[in-house]
Amino acid sequence: MFMNEERVKRLTIIIPYHNSPERLEETLLSLLENRPEESEILVVLDSPYENPYELQEDEVRFIDAAESDRSDAACIRAGVEACQSEFFQILPTGAKVDEGWCLDPLSRMEEESKLGALLPTQSHFWGLFFRKSVYQNLGGFSTDFIQKGHNEEFLTKLREHGWDYAAISLPSLDIPNELVEKLDQCESALIESMAHVAEKLTNTRDKRDSYDFAIPAQNTSTQNTSTPSSPTQGFVQKLMDGFLQFCRRFFPKKPVM
């Protein structure tokens, strides 16, 4: 039986998805507008995504990470197992591409049979191009490699398996600031956790009368309204504001009798 040629792709773009649907949709829009022929977009879901634009499978494939460990490494592992091509690229949510961003790297990997990986210069990990067979030879990516990127230990392992690698600049690929991305993930996780706690407290509203948790009113005249000097400071401010609102709602000050 011959392989169905329609299922063979030239490139698979794998996107691990943990949260932040807005960032995912920015990336999908960019990819759908600029992806080359004979390519596929594969989103590996660590958390539910509603697919509000009803994207079809020939546009984007969604699969579940289907592991108790839903780290980036686990999502990528699931994506590589499901991809229909020998070459794949890994992008984070929030990444944007221009037309033809992958054509030169892909052609180079097709022409150089011993080239196992192209490692981007503008990111420690995201945006890399890899051969599926090399990934399988290496036993997948470790969490350490994803966090630290193309370190000496990994490159030595790549060479030991008989594969070459090269660094490449991808000016037509816009990868978001990784610190901002991590803070966004933390913020989304915090909001989800607080919503869960709020639901629990709402269901036991009668019990909260026993609490005496007073939150001092903010002094709006002295409140600092300056722009945060860093992503971290902005995240901390959002965290504090959200916590105060949460406490005021569910632990109101008891009236003085």
Side-chain angles (χ1 to χ4, degrees), residues 200-212 250-252 254:
K200 292 293 185 182
L201 289 173
T202 300
N203 294 334
T204 58
R205 193 174 292 269
D206 293 339
K207 297 181 179 180
R208 76 178 188 183
D209 291 338
S210 60
Y211 297 112
D212 187 6
F250 291 100
F251 301 98
K254 293 174 63 177

Side-chain angles (χ1 to χ4, degrees), residues 75-202:
C75 289
I76 293 169
R77 182 161 52 249
V80 174
E81 290 175 358
C83 81
Q84 301 171 353
S85 63
E86 170 62 0
F87 304 103
F88 64 88
Q89 184 184 29
I90 300 176
L91 294 180
T93 56
K96 297 179 182 179
V97 301
D98 293 331
E99 183 178 2
W101 93 94
C102 64
L103 296 181
D104 288 344
L106 188 55
S107 296
R108 181 175 176 182
M109 294 196 74
E110 290 173 333
E111 294 168 1
E112 301 180 30
S113 60
K114 299 303 292 182
L115 185 60
L118 287 174
L119 310 172
T121 58
Q122 67 260 55
S123 171
H124 75 284
F125 173 77
W126 300 108
L128 63 77
F129 289 84
F130 230 84
R131 289 182 188 268
K132 183 175 182 178
S133 55
V134 175
Y135 176 92
Q136 293 169 333
N137 287 158
L138 297 177
F141 299 142
S142 66
T143 300
D144 183 68
F145 171 66
I146 294 174
Q147 293 177 347
K148 298 180 181 179
H150 29 97
N151 52 46
E152 191 62 33
E153 180 181 356
F154 176 81
L155 299 181
T156 299
K157 185 178 180 181
L158 193 64
R159 284 281 176 84
E160 288 175 349
H161 282 75
W163 296 98
D164 295 329
Y165 60 86
I168 185 171
S169 176
L170 299 171
S172 54
L173 170 63
D174 179 17
I175 298 176
N177 183 288
E178 293 167 12
L179 172 59
V180 173
E181 181 181 7
K182 291 299 182 184
L183 291 176
D184 284 346
Q185 292 179 6
C186 290
E187 181 181 348
S188 297
L190 173 65
I191 292 172
E192 182 178 349
S193 299
M194 291 176 67
H196 178 71
V197 173
E199 181 180 0
K200 292 293 185 182
L201 289 173
T202 300

Side-chain angles (χ1 to χ4, degrees), residues 15 23-33 41 43 49 55 60 62 95:
I15 306 171
R23 293 169 67 88
L24 174 62
E25 287 155 10
E26 288 178 0
T27 300
L28 293 180
L29 176 62
S30 177
L31 289 171
L32 289 170
E33 289 179 342
I41 302 170
V43 178
Y49 176 68
L55 297 170
V60 179
F62 297 95

